[in-house]
Amino acid sequence: MLAGILAGCSRDQAGKDARTESVPARTPIVTVSADQAVSPVPPWQAPVIVVTDDNAAKLRKQAASALDEDRLFGDAEAAIPLYLALRAHAPEDAAIRRGLQRAVVALVKQGDAELAGIDDDPLSLRRAHEVAAVARVAAPGDEQVAVFLERLDRADEAQEANRLGEDELNADRLGENGNGGAMAHFREALRLRPRDVRAMQGMAAAESTLIRRAELSAAADDYATAARWLDQAGKVRPGFAAVDDARGRIAMQRMVRVGRLRDMGLAALSREDGINEARSHLATLLRIAPSADPAAAELRQRIDLATHYGLFRPGQVFTDAIRNGGRGPQMAVIPHGAFRMGAGEGEPGEDSERPARNIRFERGLAVSRFEITVGEFRRFVLASGHRSRSTRRGYSTAYDERSGNFVRSGNVDWQSDYAGNRATDSMPVVHVSAKDATAYAQWLSEQTGQRYRLLSEAEFEYALRAGGRGLYPWGGGMPPDDTGNFTGALDKSPSGRRWSNAFTGYGDGSWGPAPVGRYAANAFGLHDMDGNVSEWVADCWHDTYRRAPRGGEAWVNPGCRARVVRGGSWASSPEQTRSSWRMSGEANSTTARTGFRVARDI
């Protein structure tokens, strides 16, 4: 509704200063047409501005100044009320018409800015309506005003569609089958106003609801229904990662559940009366596991074996579940048996490797197939907060390519490789002390409920020899191809260095530790028992084997500072690669040549 604009003045006003006055407040009036939504603001009424021949020039300047300052309609000193009053006073004045047109252009621009801000400011839409109310009075027939009003109508309709969608969403009526519901309203809002944040949030909420339904189905072991809900969710916002992430989580949950059922079945087999319980777990596992799942095959085989062989068997490879999630290191069951430990008569060796003695193990043992990796140690550090010795003191002993020596290097710890660079997760962890290795084994014990520990020296040599009796684990002479990571005369460093004391004619393609499992396993299924990195064992250092335990357990003195290192490394001479070789190491020392592996009692 246009407000009256008074032009001209009585004679007794002539010559007086220009003045303005506001029309007294009126009751808001809301107009509604068939094709226009109800406006949340009343129609705008221009304040009464008295224009005379005497004050017209001054009011022109005020109008132009207000326009330059973007004060368009807020009061009687704003640009549009002034130009409207001036136009009524001088309808044919082209400058006034141009000024009003500029003001209308600025007004529409302001309205568009408010429309653009709807997603960030809930009051923007109301302010856009205030602009529209002014535009309808200032330029009712202007084309750009008409276009702006159409945009405003679409924004209103989009907001109404959003409101209806949110009502449906709160009532859990999503419309996932294409029959109305929340998503139909949100899609309508997006059609009217592409990229509408409220509508996109509504679609994301609908997607989240479908994902939650899938998660609840998965929690009830109904993975087929979970997959159907995820398929529906995938149609809501194609190209977004939420559904793929949910598939990954549910797949992981399914894998963990399958693993848990497998573990419960194996735990039941440890009891004499647990076979029926294990079969029940297997039945559930078969119902929820993907086809040809190895966990189902393993549990079925173990149930068959349990009747005759108990829980474990020689050569078996297994992992334990970790309470915080995931699995422990791969463990291989080595058979019980006997061997002669130490350097035999006429065999090269140090006094510390003698006297040789017979050791018998009455029970099998599980030994980690590989040296503990950087990735496995990382999981321990992140879960436990353990700070390794090299991390706390800020350095370790690393290989220096320029000099070819091992030197103390700063900022080197368990995350580093042999040269102090960042190590990959598949590399054997080095720069760890004997105490770090023991802490890792203790953490595994806490996480799995099983007894993990470092190998005793006797167990290590037994596992290293793997039934052999020769000078080296493979017998005598040069290592066969692919035996391990040793000092070979054919090996060379990145800068072209070669070993001065090495196995003639042998090359393994590595300088520094290699990723675990690269070389062939021994007869017990263990990799890198000799070569790659030397390993901490549980024993305290003793100069000879006199008075050593006969049962193969670790020889420990409380508080001992010197520990035993067994197995040659990538930088060990052939002499240090012998099966009986052993070395003393200070318990807190860390180097680029020493890592560890773990044992588990069975």
Side-chain angles (χ1 to χ4, degrees):
M1 177 184 294
L2 279 172
I5 302 176
L6 302 182
C9 61
S10 62
R11 289 185 178 272
D12 61 349
Q13 292 173 316
K16 294 183 180 179
D17 292 336
R19 68 181 184 272
T20 62
E21 60 183 59
S22 297
V23 175
R26 301 180 181 181
T27 302
I29 300 174
V30 179
T31 59
V32 183
S33 65
D35 58 350
Q36 180 177 318
V38 175
S39 173
V41 301
W44 183 72
Q45 295 180 349
V48 175
I49 300 173
V50 178
V51 183
T52 68
D53 291 339
D54 293 333
N55 68 8
K58 184 175 182 179
L59 292 179
R60 284 172 183 259
K61 292 180 179 179
Q62 289 179 357
S65 176
L67 179 57
D68 290 341
E69 295 172 5
D70 209 29
R71 291 185 290 107
L72 300 180
F73 63 89
D75 53 36
E77 296 180 354
I80 290 177
L82 288 169
Y83 277 124
L84 288 175
L86 289 165
R87 187 181 65 178
H89 176 71
E92 303 303 323
D93 191 306
I96 293 173
R97 289 199 303 271
R98 286 195 300 272
L100 181 59
Q101 180 61 31
R102 285 177 56 213
V104 169
V105 170
L107 182 68
V108 171
K109 182 178 180 181
Q110 185 180 108
D112 284 334
E114 296 294 353
L115 287 178
I118 291 174
D119 295 324
D120 300 319
D121 184 353
L123 296 180
S124 285
L125 184 60
R126 181 180 180 84
R127 291 195 292 267
H129 274 281
E130 292 172 353
V131 168
V134 176
R136 291 188 181 99
V137 172
D142 188 273
E143 181 178 353
Q144 63 179 337
V145 170
V147 173
F148 166 69
L149 294 177
E150 289 177 2
R151 288 196 291 270
L152 179 59
D153 287 343
R154 288 198 297 272
D156 284 334
E157 293 169 10
Q159 294 302 300
E160 177 63 9
N162 283 328
R163 185 190 67 77
L164 294 172
E166 288 160 0
D167 289 345
E168 293 289 271
L169 186 64
N170 291 333
D172 203 32
R173 294 189 292 268
L174 304 184
E176 65 273 11
N177 295 318
N179 300 321
M183 290 190 287
H185 291 296
F186 293 134
R187 289 190 178 103
E188 174 63 11
L190 289 169
R191 184 191 68 79
L192 292 165
R193 188 169 177 268
R195 308 301 299 172
D196 184 281
V197 170
R198 186 176 173 187
M200 291 191 292
Q201 290 173 340
M203 293 296 283
E207 179 188 68
S208 296
T209 299
L210 292 169
I211 290 173
R212 181 56 181 160
R213 292 178 186 177
E215 291 171 340
L216 290 173
S217 297
D221 286 341
D222 188 355
Y223 291 97
T225 299
R228 288 196 293 272
W229 285 127
L230 288 177
D231 288 342
Q232 292 283 1
K235 300 173 184 177
V236 177
R237 298 191 307 159
F240 283 81
V243 175
D244 288 339
D245 291 345
R247 289 188 196 277
R249 289 196 305 275
I250 290 176
M252 178 60 70
Q253 175 186 339
R254 186 180 192 179
M255 184 176 71
V256 170
R257 174 67 171 146
V258 166
R260 177 62 177 157
L261 286 167
R262 186 266 314 278
D263 293 341
M264 290 190 296
L266 296 180
L269 290 177
S270 66
R271 304 190 301 271
E272 292 184 2
D273 60 348
I275 290 182
N276 288 335
E277 180 183 341
R279 287 173 177 160
S280 175
H281 292 314
L282 176 62
T284 303
L285 194 158
L286 290 172
R287 179 168 58 83
I288 69 172
S291 58
D293 187 86
E298 179 187 1
L299 182 55
R300 181 188 290 110
Q301 183 184 46
R302 294 292 292 276
I303 289 173
D304 292 339
L305 291 171
T307 306
H308 306 288
Y309 305 109
L311 187 58
F312 293 99
R313 64 186 185 277
Q316 179 185 345
V317 174
F318 68 95
T319 60
D320 284 321
I322 293 177
R323 188 174 66 244
N324 289 347
R327 315 290 301 181
Q330 289 189 24
M331 308 297 292
V333 177
I334 64 174
H336 68 87
F339 82 114
R340 188 163 181 80
M341 181 177 180
E345 294 294 330
E347 181 180 318
E350 304 293 332
D351 290 343
S352 62
E353 301 167 17
R354 295 184 171 89
R357 68 196 195 282
N358 294 325
I359 301 289
R360 172 169 289 278
F361 297 102
E362 299 297 340
R363 187 171 179 82
L365 177 71
V367 177
S368 55
R369 294 181 65 201
F370 312 107
E371 294 145 336
I372 298 304
T373 66
V374 171
E376 289 167 332
F377 200 79
R378 186 188 312 282
R379 181 189 298 173
F380 154 62
V381 169
L382 293 176
S384 68
H386 176 82
R387 297 188 75 236
S388 70
R389 176 67 175 174
S390 54
T391 299
R392 283 184 284 115
R393 68 187 179 188
Y395 67 86
S396 184
T397 301
Y399 178 75
D400 178 41
E401 177 68 25
R402 289 176 298 178
S403 65
N405 296 320
F406 288 89
V407 298
R408 192 170 90 171
S409 300
N411 297 319
V412 173
D413 67 2
W414 62 268
Q415 301 176 88
S416 307
D417 67 6
Y418 76 105
N421 301 314
R422 186 79 174 184
T424 62
D425 280 356
S426 62
M427 297 296 290
V429 67
V430 290
H431 306 296
V432 288
S433 69
K435 293 180 180 179
D436 294 329
T438 300
Y440 174 84
Q442 290 172 344
W443 175 78
L444 272 182
S445 299
E446 295 166 359
Q447 288 290 309
T448 63
Q450 304 296 333
R451 183 173 180 249
Y452 279 84
R453 54 182 175 78
L454 298 185
L455 282 74
S456 73
E457 186 175 6
E459 290 168 342
F460 189 96
E461 187 171 331
Y462 176 68
L464 175 84
R465 291 182 180 273
R469 298 182 180 180
L471 181 65
Y472 301 108
W474 59 86
M478 190 173 69
D481 291 343
D482 197 37
T483 301
N485 183 7
F486 309 120
T487 51
L490 302 182
D491 295 330
K492 63 180 180 179
S493 76
S495 65
R497 291 182 178 277
R498 294 187 181 273
W499 300 113
S500 60
N501 185 10
F503 288 105
T504 303
Y506 182 76
D508 49 54
S510 294
W511 189 279
V516 300
R518 172 173 291 182
Y519 303 100
N522 68 10
F524 285 172
L526 307 177
H527 296 259
D528 302 316
M529 290 297 298
D530 205 10
N532 216 32
V533 296
S534 298
E535 301 178 24
W536 292 109
V537 294
D539 299 62
C540 295
W541 175 260
H542 297 86
D543 291 338
T544 72
Y545 288 140
R546 287 186 174 85
R547 296 185 299 278
R550 291 284 179 176
E553 63 272 22
W555 191 4
V556 177
N557 305 108
C560 68
R561 295 184 178 180
R563 299 283 287 273
V564 177
V565 175
R566 293 299 304 254
S569 76
W570 61 275
S572 296
S573 67
E575 168 71 14
Q576 295 170 333
T577 311
R578 294 177 297 106
S579 298
S580 60
W581 178 80
R582 60 197 294 260
M583 181 181 74
S584 171
E586 201 275 322
N588 281 323
S589 66
T590 62
T591 77
R593 294 189 290 185
T594 306
F596 70 99
R597 74 180 69 218
V598 292
R600 175 198 185 280
D601 293 342
I602 59 174

